């Protein structure tokens, strides 16, 4: 089976790198996005998202003439659906974009085509939701056309490398579909291609992110316990991780992003009577921003009127993505408590984000602040000097949610330093 022309629906963090990588491997790719701004930006040589190496890759794909950007899908030998699956009210999966993509493909579908769903989806979405929509074409999935679920597993910040190197799980609605999808991904994936059925592949994806969420939740709970017992959780984790079968993750301000903070809910929604630990872990991680603000209140007293310099709004270090960011929630909670927040996010230039004003640079944000709050461990913040901050700030108080500040260096400059996971002194 040869794939010379494919159509990728959704040009976000997954679809755009995937479309561009196929294009730079000699495949003709129609990249589709329903957002006209995204289409215009890409057509004019711009990028609407940031990811290391992505600009060079997209430019190479466009220059090769293999990648074209459109707002509607067109006939192709394979279709890849890489649209978002956020959640709606009550933490229920919002499959409207997946359904719309399948509906848009159905009239274009021809015998022998392959359709792949990559978007993270609740169990049974491929066979119960996507297949029937595609079959409106009059063609039968697995017989007249191939259908597979192939989850993406790339880590934001390392997407381009992981896209090629990671093993891929290929879930076909039948064996022939899995084989067809294997052919497609073998065009550029150097990791192993592991074949299974579509529902298992959906479950695998959800299990991976749920596993990480539950492990972060236990780390956050350990941090709270350490705070109560007056010990340093970071040291305790390092020591516990010297055990050959223990690998505790990092506590922090909470869990954000469009994956780990969302996906476990798909399992809770599908089987609330069974997914009890999963729900609790979600609640622990969702509660972490409140916990951090309460911790600050205990240490620094009334937050009303406090001028806060907040470092970082992204959902994690060294990315520009703000989706579900716990840093944003913490800033909002500080605002609700009457504090005046000015944030610095090196990856964003807009004057404000969700009602949180952004400063132009570190100095402006630190100027006359009463409390420095480190919310994201961006590379740019690692060289932050305690002496320089001490010069600029009105009061020498710091709250570190990501274990970035060197306590001794900051205390030497007269700072009162509060760290998530370390008991009050
Ligand atoms: N976090 C912690 N402590 C840790 C690790 C992470 O608090 O020890 C926080 C981060 O700060 C962030 C959130 O968790 O707010 C998620 O970050 P992450 O780096 O763990 O994961 P994502 O969401 O960027 O990417 C995940 C990855 N999944 C797994 O590692 C199992 C990635 O491989 C997936 O492809 C991606 O979700 C996805 O698209 O589903």
């Amino acid at each position: 089976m040869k794939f010379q022309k494919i159509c990728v629906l959704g040009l976000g963090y997954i679809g755009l790198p995937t479309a561009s990588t196929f294009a730079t491997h000699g495949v003709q790719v129609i990249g589709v996005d329903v957002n006209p701004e995204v289409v215009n930006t890409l057509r004019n040589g711009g990028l609407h998202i940031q990811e290391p190496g992505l600009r060079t890759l997209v430019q190479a794909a466009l220059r090769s003439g293999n990648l074209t950007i459109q707002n509607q899908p067109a006939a192709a030998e394979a279709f890849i659906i890489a649209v978002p699956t956020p959640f709606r009210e009550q933490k229920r999966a919002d499959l409207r974009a997946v359904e719309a993509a399948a509906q848009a493909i159905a009239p274009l579908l021809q015998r022998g085509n392959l359709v792949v769903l990559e978007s993270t989806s609740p169990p049974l979405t491929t066979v119960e939701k996507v297949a029937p929509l595609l079959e409106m074409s009059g063609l039968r999935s697995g017989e007249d056309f191939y259908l597979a679920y192939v989850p993406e597993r790339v880590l934001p910040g390392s997407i381009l490398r992981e896209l090629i190197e990671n093993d891929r799980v290929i879930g076909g609605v039948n064996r022939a579909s899995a084989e067809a999808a294997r052919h497609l991904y073998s065009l550029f994936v150097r990791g192993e291609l592991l074949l299974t059925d579509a529902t298992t592949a959906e479950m695998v994806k959800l299990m991976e992110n749920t596993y990480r969420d539950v492990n972060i939740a236990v780390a956050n709970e350990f941090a709270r316990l350490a705070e109560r017992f007056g010990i340093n959780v970071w040291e305790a984790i390092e020591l516990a991780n010297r055990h050959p079968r223990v690998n505790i993750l990092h506590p922090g301000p909470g869990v954000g992003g469009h994956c780990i903070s969302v996906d476990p809910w798909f399992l809770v929604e599908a089987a609330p009577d069974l997914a009890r630990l999963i729900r609790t872990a979600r609640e622990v991680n969702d509660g972490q921003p409140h916990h951090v603000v309460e911790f600050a209140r205990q240490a620094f007293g009334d937050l009303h009127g406090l001028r806060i310099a907040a470092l970082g709004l992204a959902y994690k270090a060294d990315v520009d993505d703000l989706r579900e960011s716990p840093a944003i929630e913490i800033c909002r909670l500080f605002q609700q408590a009457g504090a005046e927040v000015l944030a610095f996010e090196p990856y964003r230039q807009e004057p404000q984000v969700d009602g949180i004003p952004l400063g132009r640079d570190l100095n402006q944000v630190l100027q006359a602040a009463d409390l420095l709050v480190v919310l994201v461990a961006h590379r740019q913040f690692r060289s932050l000097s305690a002496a320089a901050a001490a010069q600029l700030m009105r009061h020498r108080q710091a709250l570190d949610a990501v274990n970035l500040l060197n306590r001794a260096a900051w205390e030497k400059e007269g700072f009162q330093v509060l760290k998530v996971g370390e008991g009050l002194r």
Side-chain angles (χ1 to χ4, degrees):
M1 181 174 291
K2 260 185 104 82
F3 294 101
Q4 286 167 335
K5 188 173 183 184
I6 71 169
C7 182
V8 177
L9 292 89
L11 296 176
Y13 285 94
I14 302 305
L16 185 59
T18 303
S20 307
T21 303
F22 272 114
T24 54
H25 283 73
V27 182
Q28 247 189 296
V29 183
I30 306 157
V32 180
D33 205 289
V34 293
N35 182 341
E37 271 179 45
V38 170
V39 172
N40 280 338
T41 306
L42 290 171
R43 279 187 175 163
N44 294 325
L47 266 196
H48 58 294
I49 49 178
Q50 284 197 43
E51 172 66 25
L54 187 59
R55 186 173 296 276
T56 314
L57 175 70
V58 173
Q59 281 169 355
L62 290 168
R63 249 199 329 270
S64 71
N66 284 338
L67 176 62
T68 49
I69 310 290
Q70 298 186 181
N71 57 12
Q72 278 182 10
E77 289 144 7
F79 298 87
I80 297 178
I81 302 174
V83 296
T85 43
F87 52 34
R88 272 192 257 199
E89 324 74 63
Q90 293 160 342
K91 314 287 187 196
R92 300 182 74 81
D94 182 349
L95 290 175
R96 283 175 295 185
V98 170
E99 287 162 359
Q103 279 161 344
I105 294 168
L108 304 167
L109 209 55
Q110 290 169 27
R111 206 169 278 277
N113 281 175
L114 164 68
V115 181
V116 175
L117 176 63
E118 281 206 17
S119 315
T120 306
S121 303
L124 297 167
T125 299
T126 308
V127 288
E128 288 186 356
K129 299 255 164 62
V130 175
L133 290 170
L134 294 169
E135 288 179 357
M136 304 283 270
S137 60
L139 301 173
R140 307 272 314 149
S141 61
E143 291 169 26
D144 303 320
F145 69 94
Y146 304 112
L147 176 59
Y149 180 75
V150 182
E152 58 78 17
R153 313 162 99 186
V154 290
L155 191 72
S158 313
I159 290 181
L160 303 196
R161 182 177 54 76
E162 292 209 354
L163 199 59
I164 290 183
E165 289 179 7
N166 286 2
D167 294 343
R168 290 300 282 257
V169 177
I170 311 249
V173 295
N174 59 355
R175 183 76 193 183
S177 293
E179 292 289 355
R182 186 219 302 260
H183 278 286
L184 178 63
Y185 286 91
S186 67
L187 290 173
F188 71 78
V189 174
R190 286 206 288 265
E192 253 186 90
L193 300 171
L194 307 158
L195 272 50
T196 183
D197 64 88
T199 309
T200 301
E202 290 166 344
M203 189 69 187
V204 167
K205 170 70 195 183
L206 296 174
M207 282 164 53
E208 289 166 358
N209 281 354
T210 300
Y211 172 83
R212 195 156 169 84
D213 196 43
V214 171
N215 279 287
I216 298 169
V218 82
N220 282 332
E221 206 157 274
F222 287 152
R224 296 180 196 180
L225 292 167
E227 288 157 12
R228 168 133 351 143
F229 302 140
I231 64 145
N232 177 337
V233 83
W234 305 94
E235 182 195 354
I237 289 175
E238 218 176 292
L239 294 172
N241 284 351
R242 297 295 282 269
H243 184 287
R245 285 172 297 284
V246 172
N247 184 17
I248 301 168
L249 296 175
H250 300 308
V255 169
H258 53 301
C259 308
I260 295 193
S261 69
V262 176
D263 301 352
W265 287 117
F266 293 180
L267 292 175
V268 176
E269 174 189 353
D273 54 325
L274 300 176
R276 291 161 49 207
L277 172 65
I278 298 171
R279 172 195 282 275
T280 302
R282 271 292 60 245
E283 286 167 353
V284 168
N285 287 336
D286 272 355
Q288 190 68 359
H290 283 270
H291 172 77
V292 171
V293 173
E294 269 317 303
F295 194 40
R297 208 191 304 268
Q298 276 175 37
F300 302 116
D302 188 8
L303 302 170
H304 198 270
L306 216 60
R307 291 181 69 157
I308 293 182
L311 299 199
L313 286 185
Y315 86 90
K316 68 171 186 177
D318 306 325
V319 301
D320 70 327
D321 196 339
L322 304 176
R323 286 177 290 179
E324 315 292 332
S325 172
I328 294 182
E329 198 184 338
I330 288 174
C331 289
R332 280 217 213 92
L333 291 169
F334 275 128
Q335 285 177 327
Q336 281 163 20
E340 194 188 311
V341 179
L342 184 60
F344 176 57
E345 173 43 68
Y347 287 90
R348 312 293 295 209
Q349 270 81 48
E350 52 266 59
Q352 59 99 22
V353 165
D354 286 354
I356 303 158
L358 291 191
R360 281 184 315 277
D361 53 38
L362 267 175
N363 285 4
Q364 186 197 356
V365 170
L366 290 171
Q367 186 69 46
D370 299 307
L371 172 63
L372 163 70
V373 179
V374 185
L375 297 172
V376 185
H378 283 316
R379 203 166 294 130
Q380 291 91 329
F381 299 157
R382 289 190 205 138
S383 51
L384 185 65
S385 138
Q391 288 290 318
L392 291 164
M393 290 175 63
R394 192 161 64 180
H395 289 108
R396 296 180 186 184
Q397 303 180 118
L399 163 61
D400 182 359
V402 289
N403 197 24
L404 182 114
L405 304 181
N406 176 319
R407 176 183 287 281
W410 285 73
E411 283 180 346
K412 199 166 140 248
E413 293 297 332
F415 274 87
Q416 182 191 351
V417 178
L418 180 70
K419 281 198 186 203
V420 163
E422 292 185 18
L424 295 175
R425 293 168 178 222

